[in-house]
């Protein structure tokens, strides 16, 4: 039996300590998240993989939306996004999930994504060129954020001028805000994306990814208007909120571990493979998105009743000592294969090849140009974002050299 049923209010500032305690007690526990939502939290690696693939654990949020009322105390973690943004594959089970995923899979294979490398290199080089030796900057703002957001906006054909607005809406949606704030941000996001889909539909088709999706041949399967809006939303948020933190968390880990930084400076050819170790050690997704039991499910010796949220902490699973030796240690030469930072099973991250490419390009350019960059803040003053989904810093102040 666990002694900890309520995750502490400052959980996001040091989740690993909490996970270590929970994991030592058992693979899955009934806990209240910091704002009160009651869930069954999985912290061990083996059980995490089972929970992410068991078909009795559903992601159909249309059918499961009412569970928030059941498990959230008043005014706690209930958040209702604009319904116009919700018809996407991360909220679905097969066969709906299978259908939507099939329509975009081809555009995101490692081979197709590799064709984007020259453009990603160009964007990274432009961003680096704006920075100077001796500058003190927030690395997230100056580099780690604009790179992936420029790439995803180009893929979706969205004018880059709008990106500050998106960032604000998207941040609001993924952090702890009031229901009013969430309704406002998701309403504006929906309005914008509806207009965007309409605009692309009325323009002449071109060979860009989103135009092809909107103008797909009527003879085959295609996304309807609502599905296009939600797909754009999912890709935009995923493109906004994740890769930025993979880059940021990796740079922070390197600044804390100069010996590991030295290895990558001496042997930059190790950078692409090291992505897996950074994803394992401090992946950008802490607790994966909502899942719930549709019938009683036994998981790691615990019987979870029907209609309960089952939440998987990916960063906890990735530090399970049963799976990885010295899990808290950064070792850029370790074989970190098998981590679940991109999820597991049918919802495995669609954008993984793109995230890996962006990471590789970003870190290679950054370390080549500023090999002696340093942290420009006391480590204990760094603040993690107030989200159980996203694991990333508010700002990462660095001195460039
Ligand atoms: C380092 C960067 C990234 C990380 C760590 C990451 C992580 C994840 C995780 C953990 C999931 C599964 C969530 C769950 O099962 O609850 C997921 C799904 C997804 N990701 Fe990513 N992601 C990243 C980048 C991206 C990018 C750049 C894109 C878009 C281009 C993207 C698009 C998606 C989509 C569409 C899904 C839903 C897939 C489905 O339901 O079948 N991701 N991602």
């Amino acid at each position: 039996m666990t002694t900890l049923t309520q995750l502490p209010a400052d959980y996001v500032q040091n989740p690993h300590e909490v996970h270590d305690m929970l994991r030592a007690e058992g693979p899955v526990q009934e806990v209240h998240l910091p704002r009160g939502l009651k869930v069954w939290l999985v912290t061990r690696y083996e059980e995490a993989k089972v929970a992410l693939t068991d078909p009795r654990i559903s992601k159909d949020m249309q059918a499961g939306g009412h569970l928030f009322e059941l498990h959230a105390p008043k005014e706690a973690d209930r958040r209702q996004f604009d319904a116009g943004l919700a018809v996407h594959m991360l909220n679905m089970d097969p066969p709906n999930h299978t259908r939507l995923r099939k329509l975009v899979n081809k555009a995101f294979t490692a081979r197709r994504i590799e064709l984007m490398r020259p453009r990603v290199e160009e964007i990274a080089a432009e961003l680096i060129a704006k920075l100077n030796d001796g500058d003190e900057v927030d690395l997230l703002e100056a580099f780690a954020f604009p790179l992936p957001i420029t790439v995803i906006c180009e893929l979706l054909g969205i004018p880059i001028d709008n990106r500050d607005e998106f960032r604000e809406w998207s941040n609001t949606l993924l952090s702890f805000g009031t229901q009013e704030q969430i309704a406002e941000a998701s309403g504006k996001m929906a309005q914008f994306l509806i207009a965007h889909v309409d605009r692309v539909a009325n323009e002449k088709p071109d060979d860009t990814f989103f135009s092809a999706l909107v103008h797909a041949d009527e003879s085959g399967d295609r996304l309807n208007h609502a599905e296009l809006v939600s797909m754009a939303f999912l890709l935009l948020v995923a493109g906004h909120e994740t890769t930025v933190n993979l880059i940021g968390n990796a740079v922070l880990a390197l600044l804390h571990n100069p010996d590991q930084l030295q290895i990558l400076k001496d042997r930059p050819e190790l950078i692409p493979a090291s992505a897996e170790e950074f994803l394992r050690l401090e992946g950008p997704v802490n607790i994966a998105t909502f899942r719930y039991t549709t019938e009683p499910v036994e998981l790691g010796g615990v019987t979870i009743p029907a209609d309960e949220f089952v939440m998987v902490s990916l960063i906890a699973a990735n530090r399970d000592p049963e799976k990885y030796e010295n899990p808290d240690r950064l070792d850029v030469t370790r074989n970190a294969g098998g981590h679940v930072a991109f999820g597991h099973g049918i919802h495995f991250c669609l954008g993984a090849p793109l995230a890996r490419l962006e990471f590789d390009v970003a870190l290679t350019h950054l370390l080549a140009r500023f090999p002696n960059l340093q942290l420009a803040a006391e480590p204990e003053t760094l603040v993690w974002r107030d989200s159980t989904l996203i694991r990333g810093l508010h700002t990462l102040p660095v001195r460039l050299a």
Side-chain angles (χ1 to χ4, degrees), residues 90 97 101 108 238 242 284 288-289 291 314 341-343 346-347 349 355:
L90 202 43
H97 170 269
R101 176 109 187 192
F108 285 88
T242 48
T289 56
R291 290 175 162 74
L314 304 176
F342 286 125
I346 60 168
H347 293 281
C349 179

Side-chain angles (χ1 to χ4, degrees), residues 150-218:
T150 306
V151 173
I152 200 71
C153 281
E154 287 187 3
L155 263 175
L156 293 173
I158 289 174
I160 201 69
D161 324 344
N162 296 104
R163 78 177 183 206
D164 286 342
E165 273 176 317
F166 280 138
R167 189 186 193 182
E168 202 187 302
W169 301 335
S170 169
N171 273 210
T172 306
L173 295 185
L174 297 194
S175 301
F176 290 119
T178 64
Q179 182 53 42
E180 288 77 44
Q181 287 168 326
I182 287 173
E184 193 192 332
S186 69
K188 285 185 176 161
M189 182 86 106
Q191 242 176 1
F192 179 89
L193 291 175
I194 288 168
H196 178 61
V197 170
D198 288 342
R199 190 170 58 242
V200 176
N202 290 324
E203 281 169 1
K204 259 182 50 191
D206 58 37
D207 59 358
T208 60
F209 159 74
F210 200 62
S211 174
L213 212 55
V214 172
H215 292 281
D217 185 352
E218 300 221 13

